[in-house]
Amino acid sequence: MTPLPALRTTALVTVAPLVLAVAGAMHPAHLTAATAGHWVALHIALLPVFPFLALGLVLPLRGTPGRGVEGALVLLAWAGSLCYAAYYAGLDAVAGVSAGVVVEHGVHGAAGRLFATGDELGRAGVYGLVVAVLATSTLLWRRRGVRVLPGAAVLLAACWSFRDSHIFWPRGVLTMLGFALGFALLTAARETDRTAATSATRRPSAG
């Protein structure tokens, strides 16, 4: 049976991508005067959610010593996660909130430039996320071996799709579900050996 702490950790790392997947299913396909109000409201609501996507990469690092190669990987994972959180929030604010507001108020010609700027911010954020995925996966691989590889592969594929899918239906929603799966696989890889070690410690010795 999966221990309660492992279930709790899995829930924590998957809640943000699952919320984003649901939001993506409700995301307007195009920004028009008719959809602008919904567009703005949705992106305001998601402003605090997007940064928490990186929780699935920093939470598995808890308890890692801050020295040597593993310490450097922790710093790299945190730096990449912070880069993602900052720049992708910029995309949400510029191409989401700002573009929606100018279209809603009939300001012509501004939305295209806002989208272009937002796309640049979003790509920078995703590149930071790739760095964090590689750093976290490398650290866990050093500790858990090949069992980390499926989660890492799923997350890298999700990052590749995230560059230009945002959370738009259908690919963006599938991308968020990919993140949820990848984070769950990394969590399972991290927790397996620890669970076995805890069971062995509690098992009474024979004789």
Side-chain angles (χ1 to χ4, degrees):
M1 181 179 295
T2 304
L4 183 58
L7 287 174
R8 187 180 299 119
T9 301
T10 302
L12 284 173
V13 301
T14 57
V15 64
L18 291 178
V19 168
L20 291 170
V22 172
M26 301 184 294
H27 197 299
H30 303 285
L31 175 58
T32 64
T35 63
H38 182 190
W39 186 284
V40 172
L42 183 64
H43 284 88
I44 290 175
L46 294 179
L47 274 172
V49 181
F50 274 110
F52 278 98
L53 191 66
L55 191 64
L57 298 172
V58 298
L59 198 59
L61 302 176
R62 66 191 189 281
T64 303
R67 300 181 301 277
V69 174
E70 292 194 350
L73 289 170
V74 170
L75 288 175
L76 196 58
W78 271 100
S81 296
L82 289 172
C83 174
Y84 157 73
Y87 283 97
Y88 212 86
L91 162 65
D92 200 34
V94 172
V97 179
S98 298
V101 168
V102 299
V103 170
E104 187 176 23
H105 289 81
V107 179
H108 301 290
R113 185 55 196 158
L114 288 171
F115 277 128
T117 301
D119 286 343
E120 293 173 5
L121 293 170
R123 280 193 295 270
V126 173
Y127 295 149
L129 196 63
V130 169
V131 170
V133 168
L134 290 173
T136 298
S137 300
T138 300
L139 189 151
L140 293 179
W141 172 76
R142 287 168 59 88
R143 294 185 164 198
R144 301 294 187 256
V146 296
R147 72 188 64 187
V148 172
L149 297 181
V154 171
L155 289 174
L156 288 174
C159 285
W160 178 85
S161 178
F162 196 26
R163 293 173 308 124
D164 58 0
S165 69
H166 189 48
I167 59 171
F168 289 107
W169 171 267
R171 187 157 65 90
V173 172
L174 293 176
T175 298
M176 292 301 110
L177 295 177
F179 277 119
L181 175 61
F183 293 149
L185 290 172
L186 276 192
T187 299
R190 182 188 188 278
E191 298 292 334
T192 299
D193 284 353
R194 195 172 73 171
T195 301
T198 302
S199 300
T201 302
R202 293 177 178 175
R203 189 181 301 124
S205 57

